[in-house]
């Protein structure tokens, strides 16, 4: 892999694939340890993408320099604390962080928290002290894989193909493709995963499957007490999982090495931190951590063992899901599409209308309609970068294999221009930083030194407050789009056992907003749930923009929905 013709897929995805340019064609790199084969449909769409080739001021095409000048002039007039730097995950390359250095020195307000995995990450950190995945080889060496709130075949297709011959168990309210391939599918009620984790812990104890060492040396007993605080039968009722399926679960895993692949589905709720921590505590209880075979994988901190090359000191940070754009004289949006991807769309749009919006991205997305200045970012094939993965330890490297599209500049070039304009201190050298990330060897830092079990939790359950005519709202990723990029699907999916007909036009309402959708039936969805795909243009008119309990994380599913015929 020393040739300079590899290209990292920049998309926000577990796999972090690597392509190669050979004989004028870009193909999956067969020599990359996880990519191996063909790339996915999203990558194919990215290759065909219509990248921005012009800068704009007030919707008028202008030269790139004019746009940068206008932006600099504006920044110089403003109080930095009335400006916001907002970065999304449109490109996950590490070098995308250069603009952070400029905005930190200028003094903008930054965001904290996440629209994605933040609550679950914090839950794992509270138990283990860090959120670092075990090496992939331990997943490959295990016998049974429990896929929990993760759409595994679809959101990490290359990792899946390395493990496709394993025995699977799936925990999901939807009969996903991986649920269909599973020996056992626990079709759980939404937001009851912590109860399932406690129920499994009780059973594990009855089956003498606790990790004896941890049981003696940690607070595992307190976790068991928590699990014992309710009757078995009460768990069956609330989780919707039959006790006989729990028996089957233990029949499958007994004497086997076990992995858990945990997804973001379990944690898009107010108590997402503790829900995740309960699941990781169950994993610790049965001794999954620190084994040569098995473990628990979430969306790990991909840069954990790297030096922080882009560390900044920032005076003020605001919670990402709760950002109120209207509060700022200027907002700078890099690699994001908050008009589609951030919660509470009506509030987002109203906020953007009241602020001066500068968009820095590769494509003309929905957020661009509210931008006063648009600055085209060079596309991924024309800039050097390193892609780390939150799913496994292998990285992908990008060399510039094409010329950048006209009137565009890379994140580094942008930051260099702005830093010079403002007379700021020099940026870290590009080649040195790139080489550091590209060459640093993998160090396994996944060992859990001390496990701190969950001892108490309070969760406000939906099942106690949901009215008969209300639905749980679930989100899933989709094969043909990557969040708001590429080909979206704007339907609302529901189990056919409902009071509507397929094709009906309905108004969906939550306490945060409403939107109209066309209904499609899907038997795979648990009754009383509706499913929207991430990237659905209207989905976030319904969602909650408040932060979760502890991690400044979005809680897209902390909402109940009413449907009315239009
Ligand atoms: N093709 C494709 N791949 C992607 C993406 C994409 O948009 N398209 N997005 C990427 C990104 S940004 C991320 S963060 C990852 C996310 O990867 P995943 O974690 O796999 O994300 P989701 O598809 O949202 O899967 C969540 C699953 O949880 C289930 N679920 C919902 N609520 C609950 C619940 O209360 N309990 C349980 N047990 N399950 C629940 C849903 O039905 C769904 O199957 O995927 C990445 N990969
Ligand atoms: N309702 C609901 N909302 C969700 C989710 C959900 O499941 N349900 N999922 C959430 C999750 S997990 C995530 S991660 C977020 C993602 O939300 P965002 O981070 O906002 O990502 P996208 O919506 O994919 O927008 C990415 C944009 O980045 C730009 N871009 C792409 N490449 C580059 C580049 O190289 N440089 C620059 N400067 N820009 C580039 C493109 O213009 C693209 O439109 O969405 C969240 N929103
Ligand atoms: S599977 Fe993920 S990382 Fe691989 S090419 Fe597709 S989007 Fe990119
Ligand atoms: Mo994400």
């Amino acid at each position: 892999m020393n040739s300079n013709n590899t290209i990292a897929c920049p998309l926000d995805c577990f796999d972090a694939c690597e392509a190669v340019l050979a004989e004028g064609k870009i193909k999956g790199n067969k020599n990359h340890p996880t990519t191996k084969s063909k790339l996915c449909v999203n990558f194919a769409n990215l290759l065909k993408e219509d990248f921005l080739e012009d800068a704009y001021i007030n919707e008028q095409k202008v030269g790139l320099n004019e746009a940068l000048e206008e932006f600099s002039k504006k920044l110089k007039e403003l109080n930095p604390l009335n400006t916001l730097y907002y970065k999304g995950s449109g490109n996950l390359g590490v070098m995308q962080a250069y603009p952070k250095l400029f905005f930190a020195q200028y003094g903008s307000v930054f965001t904290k928290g996440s629209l994605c995995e933040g609550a679950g990450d914090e839950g794992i950190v509270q138990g283990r002290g860090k959120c670092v995945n075990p090496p992939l080889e331990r997943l490959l060496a295990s016998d049974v894989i429990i896929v929990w709130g993760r759409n595994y075949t679809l959101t990490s297709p290359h990792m899946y193909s390395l493990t496709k011959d394993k025995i699977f168990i799936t925990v999901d309210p939807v009969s996903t493709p991986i649920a269909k391939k599973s020996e056992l599918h626990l079709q759980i009620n939404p937001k009851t995963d912590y109860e399932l984790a406690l129920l499994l812990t009780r059973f594990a104890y009855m089956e003498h499957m606790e990790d004896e060492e941890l049981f003696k040396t940690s607070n595992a007993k307190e976790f068991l007490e928590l699990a014992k605080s309710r009757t078995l039968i009460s768990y069956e009722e609330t989780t919707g999982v039959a006790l006989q399926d729990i028996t089957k679960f233990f029949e499958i895993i007994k004497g086997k090495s076990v992995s858990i692949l945990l997804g973001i589905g379990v944690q898009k709720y107010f108590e997402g931190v503790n829900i995740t921590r309960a699941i990781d505590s169950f994993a610790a209880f049965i001794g999954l951590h620190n084994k040569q075979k098995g473990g628990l994988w979430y969306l790990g901190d991909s840069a954990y063992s790297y030096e922080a090359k882009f560390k900044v000191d920032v005076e003020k940070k605001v919670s990402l899901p709760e950002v109120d754009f209207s509060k700022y004289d200027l907002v700078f949006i890099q690699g994001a599409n908050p008009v589609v991807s951030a919660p509470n769309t009506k509030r987002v749009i109203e906020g953007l209308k009241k602020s001066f919006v500068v968009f820095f991205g590769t494509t003309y997305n929905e957020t661009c309609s509210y931008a006063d200045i648009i600055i085209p970012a060079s596309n991924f094939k024309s800039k050097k970068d390193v892609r780390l993965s939150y799913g496994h330890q292998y990285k992908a490297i990008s060399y510039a294999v094409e010329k950048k599209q006209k009137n565009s500049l890379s994140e580094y070039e942008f930051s260099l221009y702005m830093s010079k304009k403002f007379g700021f201190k020099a940026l870290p050298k590009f080649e040195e930083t790139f080489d550091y990330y590209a060459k640093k060897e993998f160090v396994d830092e996944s060992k859990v030194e001390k496990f701190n079990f969950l001892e108490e939790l309070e969760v406000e359950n939906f099942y106690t407050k949901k009215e008969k005519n209300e639905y749980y709202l679930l989100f899933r990723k989709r094969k043909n789009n990557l969040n708001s990029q590429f080909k979206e699907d704007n339907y609302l999916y529901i189990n056919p056992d409902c009071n509507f007909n397929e094709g009906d036009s309905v108004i969906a309402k939550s306490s945060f907003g409403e939107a109209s959708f066309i209904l499609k039936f899907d038997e795979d969805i648990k009754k009383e749930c509706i499913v929207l795909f991430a990237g659905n243009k209207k989905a976030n008119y319904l969602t909650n923009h408040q932060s979760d309990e502890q991690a400044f994380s979005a809680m897209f599913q902390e909402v109940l929905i009413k449907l009315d015929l239009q």
Side-chain angles (χ1 to χ4, degrees):
M1 268 192 286
N2 287 328
S3 47
N4 293 355
N5 65 346
T6 59
I7 307 141
C9 172
L11 298 173
D12 184 348
C13 165
F14 290 94
D15 284 357
C17 293
E18 191 174 80
V20 278
L21 175 70
E23 292 156 11
K25 284 204 172 127
I26 296 177
K27 292 184 189 154
N29 185 358
K30 290 201 170 64
N31 299 320
H32 187 272
T34 49
T35 306
K36 288 193 170 154
S37 56
K38 284 206 310 213
L39 300 180
C40 74
V41 52
N42 286 315
F43 188 82
N45 285 328
L46 184 61
L47 290 176
K48 289 185 277 185
E49 189 67 281
D50 200 2
F51 294 116
L52 278 168
E53 294 192 335
D54 289 292
Y56 293 82
I57 298 178
N58 294 330
E59 297 177 355
Q60 301 295 312
K61 275 185 196 176
V62 295
L64 178 61
N65 256 347
E66 196 181 334
L68 291 168
E69 283 300 314
E70 179 68 16
F71 174 49
S72 311
K73 198 173 115 217
K74 192 87 195 162
L75 277 188
K76 285 193 169 154
E77 286 166 6
L78 295 173
N79 173 355
L81 281 175
N82 294 335
T83 69
L84 176 76
Y85 173 60
Y86 183 104
K87 182 176 178 297
S89 58
N91 181 326
L92 282 196
V94 291
M95 308 302 256
Q96 299 300 299
Y98 265 105
K100 255 174 74 177
L101 301 176
F102 167 73
F103 286 100
Q105 212 176 339
Y106 170 71
S108 291
V109 174
F110 276 45
T111 62
K112 61 184 167 189
S114 142
L115 296 184
C116 176
E117 85 302 351
D121 183 288
E122 176 62 19
I124 291 190
V125 169
Q126 288 184 8
R128 306 187 201 171
K130 58 192 169 191
C131 182
V132 181
N133 284 332
L136 182 69
E137 289 63 29
R138 295 193 196 165
L139 175 72
L140 306 184
S142 63
D143 305 315
V144 179
I145 300 182
I146 301 166
V147 179
W148 199 325
R150 178 160 162 179
N151 197 353
Y152 185 41
T153 55
L154 218 132
T155 57
S156 22
H158 297 82
M159 281 178 71
Y160 169 67
S161 74
L162 299 175
T163 55
K164 62 180 188 309
D165 298 326
K166 303 284 176 194
I167 299 167
F168 288 100
I169 297 175
T170 296
V171 186
D172 201 302
V174 177
S175 180
T176 55
I178 193 64
K180 291 195 166 66
K181 289 180 209 297
S182 293
E183 205 94 334
L184 176 67
H185 174 204
L186 306 179
Q187 197 163 18
I188 191 170
N189 289 330
K191 205 186 169 180
T192 62
D193 299 86
Y194 71 99
E195 299 178 77
L196 178 64
L198 295 174
L199 173 61
L200 291 172
T201 301
R202 280 196 73 159
F203 259 76
Y205 189 66
M206 296 185 316
E207 301 271 338
H208 310 294
M209 282 177 68
E210 71 278 11
D211 182 315
E212 284 177 19
E213 185 58 31
L214 260 187
F215 203 71
K216 279 188 233 138
T217 58
S218 72
N219 61 341
K221 278 192 203 72
E222 277 75 10
F223 180 59
L224 178 63
E225 285 312 311
L226 180 67
K228 282 182 173 168
S229 63
R230 277 179 47 182
T231 61
L232 291 178
I233 205 82
S234 75
Y235 283 122
E236 181 174 48
E237 217 173 277
T238 55
T239 59
V241 175
L243 292 181
Q244 71 216 45
D245 280 343
I246 303 294
T247 309
K248 191 164 175 208
F249 179 98
F250 283 98
E251 279 166 16
I252 297 172
I253 70 163
K254 198 136 203 194
K256 300 272 184 18
S257 51
V258 177
S259 294
I260 298 180
L261 290 178
L262 191 60
I264 59 171
V266 301
Q267 52 96 62
K268 299 172 183 173
Y269 302 109
F270 182 67
E271 303 87 348
V273 172
N274 279 337
I275 294 172
T276 311
R277 193 167 165 204
I279 297 169
D280 201 34
S281 291
F282 161 68
F285 192 84
I286 58 167
L288 292 199
H289 301 323
N290 299 340
K291 291 278 160 62
Q292 284 313 303
K293 295 177 177 182
L296 184 144
W297 283 255
Y298 180 58
L299 285 75
D301 176 354
S302 52
Y304 187 81
S305 66
Y306 289 77
E307 287 164 27
K309 296 286 185 193
F310 296 101
K311 201 166 166 17
V312 288
D313 258 340
V314 175
E315 194 176 317
K316 189 169 172 206
K317 289 188 178 180
V318 292
S319 165
L320 181 57
E322 286 174 289
V323 160
D324 180 353
F325 291 112
S326 75
K327 285 212 171 118
Y328 303 93
D329 293 335
L330 180 146
V331 299
F332 181 88
I333 298 175
Q334 176 194 338
N337 190 7
V339 166
V340 177
S341 289
N344 200 338
T345 308
K346 187 160 172 266
R347 182 174 174 268
V348 168
I349 290 176
E350 280 166 7
L352 290 174
K353 281 184 181 161
K354 288 188 190 141
S355 181
F356 189 91
V357 178
V358 182
F359 175 83
F360 180 40
T362 47
T363 56
Y364 192 93
N365 65 24
E366 287 73 8
T367 302
C368 292
S369 316
Y370 303 91
D372 298 279
I373 299 182
I374 297 177
I375 302 170
S378 306
N379 77 79
F380 74 110
K381 288 172 287 180
S382 67
K383 52 194 183 195
K384 283 173 88 169
D385 213 328
V386 179
R387 195 36 242 282
L388 307 175
S389 161
Y390 49 79
H392 56 71
Q393 74 270 26
Y394 297 101
K395 52 190 160 195
I397 316 270
S398 257
Y399 293 94
V401 298
E402 260 182 41
K403 263 175 58 185
K404 59 188 183 186
Q405 76 269 27
K406 65 179 170 46
N407 286 316
S408 74
L409 77 179
S410 73
E411 286 66 17
Y412 171 70
E413 289 165 335
F414 167 82
S415 314
L416 194 65
Y417 178 97
M418 294 303 291
S419 294
K420 281 194 176 149
K421 188 100 206 155
F422 280 72
F424 289 170
K425 69 172 192 260
L427 298 171
K429 290 203 171 63
F430 187 90
E431 288 301 326
E432 267 174 33
T433 314
F434 172 83
D435 280 349
Y436 169 74
Y437 282 104
K439 290 185 182 149
K440 186 185 175 316
E441 303 233 344
F442 170 64
V443 189
D444 176 12
E445 301 209 37
S446 66
K447 182 152 189 264
V448 181
E449 302 293 346
K450 183 175 179 296
F451 196 86
N452 190 7
F453 285 85
L454 184 69
E455 294 185 8
E456 55 183 10
L457 89 168
E458 215 173 293
V459 175
E460 195 188 343
N461 296 298
F462 280 136
Y463 52 74
T464 48
K465 62 175 180 184
K466 188 175 108 34
E467 290 171 24
K468 266 217 151 72
N469 62 345
E470 286 182 315
Y471 293 85
Y472 300 103
L473 174 61
L474 307 180
F475 284 101
R476 298 172 66 193
K477 305 295 185 192
R478 202 170 145 263
K479 191 171 177 182
N480 295 324
N481 59 292
L482 205 300
N483 298 325
S484 76
Q485 301 190 72
F486 317 122
K487 301 196 167 54
E488 80 275 9
D489 174 328
N490 294 321
Y491 293 102
L492 183 149
Y493 291 84
I494 191 165
N495 187 291
D497 189 1
C498 65
N499 296 328
F500 299 97
N501 294 312
E502 182 143 40
D504 278 351
S505 176
V506 293
I507 305 252
K509 284 190 189 135
S510 75
S511 44
F512 298 91
E514 61 178 67
S516 61
F517 297 91
I518 307 289
L519 282 192
K520 273 203 178 179
F521 283 168
D522 185 350
E523 286 183 344
D524 293 338
I525 300 169
K526 189 156 186 163
K527 274 195 266 178
E528 299 185 47
C529 299
I530 57 174
V531 167
L532 299 173
F533 286 108
N536 182 317
K537 298 290 180 242
K538 292 187 193 158
N540 279 320
Y541 277 97
L542 304 175
T543 53
N544 190 336
H545 63 273
Q546 290 151 342
S547 297
D548 78 301
E549 194 177 19
Q550 303 186 50
F552 308 106
S553 196
M555 40 179 197
F556 291 106
Q557 295 184 181
E558 188 64 48
V559 67
L560 291 165
I561 305 292
K562 284 201 172 95
L563 297 179
D564 291 307
L565 273 180
Q566 205 168 9

